Amino acid sequence: MAPTERLGVGLIGAGLVTQTVHLPALASLADTFVVRHLSDPDEDLAARAGAAVGARHSAHADALIADPAVEVVAVCSPHRFHTEQVIAACEAGKRAVLCEKPLAVSMAEAELIGEVSRRTGVPIVVGAMHLFDPGWLWADRRSAGLRRTAHTIRSSIVLPPNSRYEELATEVYGRHTASTAPDMADPAAQAEVVVGGVLGLAVHDLPLIRSFLPRIDDLVVHEARPLRPWGYHIVFTAAGRTVELHAVVDATWQPDWTLEVVSDTEALRLDFTPSYVQAGSARAVLRSHDATTMAEPADSNGYSGEWQHVAALARGEVAGGVRHEHDLADLRLALRLADAASELIAPDSREAA
């Protein structure tokens, strides 16, 4: 296809992530993409979101995947549907697939996705947006020494409820009412909160963290507990390095999302913008005993970066740009961490199940 030809996009799932993240990101890349189709089991929701961007709509993912105007599929459905929908898009011969995190809910499913992607030649990108943030890309190129010597890694996330930013991102259709709060006296409920936090929030930083861990086969979770009103605190070790994960969602006026990597001689710090906020790149600073360097701020962020990567793959402009082995390793870390944390909090719940 001609480099100037826009790629037709279909989004499976018309919920909040599609409305407040992907549609604004695609609008900012209107020279590259055009939204052609939205699908959602709630057809009225799909119709309203589709009408807002001039796209057709349907109630079934199969209709979207069969649409010849859809060249790139974004899978933004609940986790349990990712595998079947990603595979269906590959089998339909789409140019590329963007799958929201996590790629799958088991390693077996993720490996099956990889097999289908290799057989069909359809590249898949997992929507871990921090991997594509210009601030991280700057830090990644300068972290060879830290990868050898890091001893402590900290991810700290303090955010207000998503709704504060969702309404700023765009008009929101079909917002669901809050679900019943879990019984936090029940260890199984506590474990469920922490597992949900790992797979829903920590998963954004885990690919970055994994790049500083030589291996994870010896991973041990030493602390794991939920935080109120919602959040988690986890401490684990792997490859002789200590990793602290802390997140809390409350009514804070000052959001904070930081990732720090520390050795005896260097320290890296990244400050990311909150989810749903497309306000430029992360701030990245690398310090040593005799120098401090920092990234030039960029107007773009990880959301636009991942879509630009999808376009490059779909057009065949990126040689060796598919990182499925890395995606498998990232998912393996997330699932191993979630399982170990759950086992520490509620060791009897798995036996009861």
Side-chain angles (χ1 to χ4, degrees):
M1 66 186 300
T4 56
E5 185 179 347
R6 294 195 297 173
L7 294 159
V9 177
L11 297 109
I12 300 174
L16 292 174
V17 171
T18 287
Q19 293 180 48
T20 63
V21 170
H22 292 301
L23 292 182
L26 290 165
S28 73
L29 300 169
D31 291 341
T32 304
F33 295 102
V34 56
V35 180
R36 298 294 192 192
H37 198 140
L38 277 83
S39 71
D40 196 280
D42 182 344
E43 191 167 5
D44 180 63
L45 175 61
R48 296 179 71 188
V53 294
R56 65 182 62 89
H57 72 276
S58 63
H60 302 288
D62 290 348
L64 181 147
I65 292 170
D67 187 340
V70 172
E71 300 165 283
V72 174
V73 173
V75 176
C76 307
S77 55
H79 302 168
R80 63 186 183 276
F81 299 119
H82 286 186
T83 298
E84 64 179 274
Q85 292 169 350
V86 169
I87 287 176
C90 289
E91 296 286 9
K94 300 303 179 182
R95 291 185 180 273
V97 177
L98 172 65
C99 181
E100 267 301 330
K101 46 72 185 169
L103 175 63
V105 295
S106 73
M107 290 307 301
E109 288 186 350
E111 289 165 358
L112 178 59
I113 289 172
E115 292 173 8
V116 174
S117 175
R118 286 188 291 271
R119 175 170 55 79
T120 60
V122 177
I124 299 166
V125 175
V126 178
M129 78 283 195
H130 286 173
L131 275 173
F132 303 94
D133 188 290
W136 164 250
L137 296 176
W138 177 92
D140 188 33
R141 294 190 295 270
R142 291 162 174 80
S143 296
L146 265 177
R147 287 192 167 85
R148 293 191 299 271
T149 61
H151 54 66
T152 303
I153 304 164
R154 294 188 291 263
S155 169
S156 176
I157 306 170
V158 180
L159 297 173
N162 288 340
S163 57
R164 178 183 297 182
Y165 297 120
E166 290 163 354
E167 297 290 356
L168 296 176
T170 187
E171 182 179 2
V172 174
Y173 306 114
R175 186 188 298 282
H176 297 293
T177 57
S179 58
T180 304
D183 177 9
M184 296 306 288
D186 179 4
Q190 296 178 27
E192 186 175 347
V193 168
V194 172
V195 169
V198 170
L199 297 181
L201 189 56
V203 70
H204 288 299
D205 284 346
L206 289 179
L208 284 57
I209 290 170
R210 188 185 64 78
S211 73
F212 293 97
L213 299 175
R215 64 183 189 280
I216 62 168
D217 58 311
D218 61 345
L219 184 150
V220 176
V221 174
H222 302 278
E223 297 180 44
R225 66 180 187 275
L227 300 179
R228 295 179 184 273
W230 184 92
Y232 55 82
H233 178 78
I234 302 171
V235 177
F236 72 93
T237 54
R241 301 177 180 190
T242 300
V243 182
E244 303 173 21
L245 307 176
H246 177 97
V248 64
V249 174
D250 61 15
T252 180
W253 69 273
Q254 178 61 59
D256 182 77
W257 190 323
T258 62
L259 178 66
E260 297 173 282
V261 184
V262 180
S263 75
D264 290 341
T265 57
E266 291 182 288
L268 170 67
R269 179 182 173 112
L270 295 113
D271 289 272
F272 293 100
T273 56
S275 300
Y276 304 99
V277 175
Q278 304 205 31
S281 65
R283 298 189 303 275
V285 179
L286 182 62
R287 293 185 173 88
S288 66
H289 70 284
D290 59 356
T292 297
T293 57
M294 60 185 66
E296 290 290 333
D299 292 334
S300 62
N301 63 9
Y303 294 128
S304 59
E306 68 187 12
W307 276 109
Q308 289 169 334
H309 187 62
V310 168
L313 289 170
R315 290 171 169 167
E317 298 169 354
V318 180
V322 179
R323 60 184 310 277
H324 189 70
E325 292 305 318
H326 291 282
D327 292 335
L328 283 175
D330 295 341
L331 182 63
R332 185 175 293 108
L333 172 57
L335 293 177
R336 188 168 292 181
L337 179 60
D339 286 346
S342 178
E343 180 67 20
L344 186 65
I345 297 169
D348 298 330
S349 62
R350 190 172 302 174
E351 294 177 8

